[in-house]
Amino acid sequence: MSNYKITIQETNNPTILKFDVNQFITKHQNFEYNNIDEAKESPLAQQLFYLPFVKKVYISSNFIAIERYNIVEWNDVKQEVADQIENYLNTGGIIVEEHATTKKVPVTVYTESTPNPSALKFVANKKLVTATYEYDSIEKAKTSPLATSLFHFPFVKSVFFDENYISITKYDIAEWNDVSMELRDFIKNYIENGKEIVNPDAPEVIEKSAEKVEAHFESLDNTSKEIINILEQYVKPAVASDGGNIQFQSYDENSQIVKVILQGACSGCPSSTFTLKNGIENMLKEMLPGKVNTVEAING
């Protein structure tokens, strides 16, 4: 598996700082410690309490939040703390003991409709994955225990994961009114039990690690980089709200053709072609004049 990387995130509370991790560090569980005695089940939290300014430690599935005493300012120590956490994780340090007591945070899952009548979003109040994953058969889903389980429902056609939601596309044999509640309860119980969503050592997980993505980006030509940045900033948020995803595949300088991959609810959606031509294509033409002629989509 790739190395752990820490990203520092500020919060609304100036005394609390989040240290985001690029991988999951607990099985969708949460732990909260107010002092070093309470942290006896978490070697990582105990180590952090040796820092005299640490008041409280909160460990979640993909971040560590620390509340400080007012004897220091975060600007003076935050990088040191980030480096300490990163080094601890990368040397195999134990985060929490296997039978540690979790801080109970109720799992909620609700549904959202999408422009694709065959697809429905199941949104959780927890982060589920650190990248996007799509599976269109139980055979391809072997590295995702949750997707494999979902394919045991005979009406499930494809499964798409993004940060905190699952977009499921169904076959026409079932109506959402008849099956959405059953799926929602299944997903809720699965998350509550702390089961693996996608295997952390799966090849596609490693391929989508921050290091791999960054290396691929740097290998591209300047126009391709510009296209990716536009898609990330202006297109992906809107597509994600509809239960889908868009990925850059290629750019041909001679033909000026951009190829993108549509995933999740956008894959096979009746309105996706209209969105592609009247939205994304026009935007790229306007923002990159003389560089883009056509945008072609490939369903993921």
Side-chain angles (χ1 to χ4, degrees):
M1 191 62 186
S2 58
N3 288 342
Y4 290 95
K5 295 288 185 184
I6 299 295
T7 305
I8 301 170
Q9 298 287 342
E10 295 182 354
T11 71
N12 292 330
N13 186 333
T15 66
I16 298 175
L17 209 60
K18 277 178 65 179
F19 298 86
D20 284 347
V21 189
N22 64 331
Q23 303 174 36
F24 287 113
I25 54 176
T26 74
K27 294 182 177 180
H28 307 288
Q29 299 163 303
N30 304 291
F31 305 87
E32 186 175 310
Y33 306 105
N34 294 293
N35 55 59
I36 197 168
D37 286 338
E38 286 187 10
K40 59 178 184 256
E41 295 176 326
S42 171
L44 171 58
Q46 281 197 319
Q47 185 180 102
L48 291 170
F49 275 116
Y50 279 107
L51 299 171
F53 54 83
V54 171
K55 181 179 180 181
K56 183 182 290 188
V57 177
Y58 182 87
I59 299 175
S60 187
S61 57
N62 69 307
F63 70 84
I64 296 135
I66 299 176
E67 183 177 357
R68 63 168 173 82
Y69 288 108
N70 289 324
I71 59 173
V72 298
E73 296 296 328
W74 272 125
N75 283 339
D76 299 328
V77 297
K78 63 183 180 182
Q79 192 57 55
E80 176 189 344
V81 175
D83 292 342
Q84 181 174 328
I85 294 171
E86 194 171 283
N87 291 335
Y88 183 90
L89 295 176
N90 283 317
T91 53
I94 296 173
I95 299 155
V96 290
E97 301 289 351
E98 189 173 345
H99 301 295
T101 303
T102 65
K103 175 182 171 62
K104 288 292 183 182
V105 177
V107 174
T108 60
V109 176
Y110 64 91
T111 60
E112 283 185 0
S113 60
T114 76
N116 186 346
S118 297
L120 197 64
K121 277 177 72 175
F122 295 82
V123 186
N125 64 331
K126 288 177 175 283
K127 189 166 185 174
L128 305 177
V129 291
T130 56
T132 58
Y133 303 96
E134 185 169 42
Y135 307 96
D136 59 12
S137 71
I138 194 169
E139 182 180 20
K140 293 180 181 177
K142 60 186 177 182
T143 56
S144 169
L146 176 52
T148 298
S149 298
L150 288 169
F151 276 114
H152 283 96
F153 291 94
F155 50 82
V156 170
K157 183 179 181 181
S158 66
V159 178
F160 174 77
F161 297 128
D162 203 350
E163 292 211 353
N164 70 320
Y165 73 84
I166 304 165
S167 181
I168 297 177
T169 304
K170 68 173 180 63
Y171 288 106
D172 292 337
I173 59 168
E175 297 296 328
W176 281 125
N177 286 339
D178 300 328
V179 300
S180 61
M181 186 70 73
E182 181 183 8
L183 278 174
R184 192 190 71 177
D185 290 344
F186 176 84
I187 293 168
K188 179 178 182 294
N189 291 332
Y190 190 100
I191 298 169
E192 281 180 333
N193 289 325
K195 296 180 180 179
E196 205 79 73
I197 309 291
V198 179
N199 294 337
D201 57 349
E204 68 266 33
V205 174
I206 297 171
E207 191 62 31
K208 293 181 180 184
S209 66
E211 295 87 345
K212 288 278 188 179
V213 172
E214 186 176 342
H216 175 66
F217 180 83
E218 292 302 325
S219 70
L220 298 172
D221 60 89
N222 289 334
T223 302
S224 294
K225 289 178 181 178
E226 289 180 297
I227 293 169
I228 291 174
N229 288 334
I230 292 170
L231 294 178
E232 290 286 336
Q233 184 174 355
Y234 298 101
V235 181
K236 273 198 174 185
V239 172
S241 69
D242 287 338
N245 186 48
I246 184 168
Q247 287 187 335
F248 171 83
Q249 188 190 54
S250 65
Y251 168 72
D252 186 284
E253 186 177 4
N254 295 323
S255 64
Q256 297 187 342
I257 294 176
V258 178
K259 291 186 178 180
V260 296
I261 299 172
L262 297 179
Q263 296 176 306
C266 296
S267 181
C269 176
S271 63
S272 62
T273 301
F274 177 84
T275 302
L276 191 76
K277 291 297 178 185
N278 292 275
I280 301 169
E281 186 174 279
N282 288 343
M283 178 185 295
L284 290 176
K285 284 181 178 180
E286 183 178 335
M287 299 183 76
L288 299 172
K291 294 182 179 180
V292 174
N293 182 40
T294 305
V295 177
E296 295 180 358
I298 302 167
N299 288 332

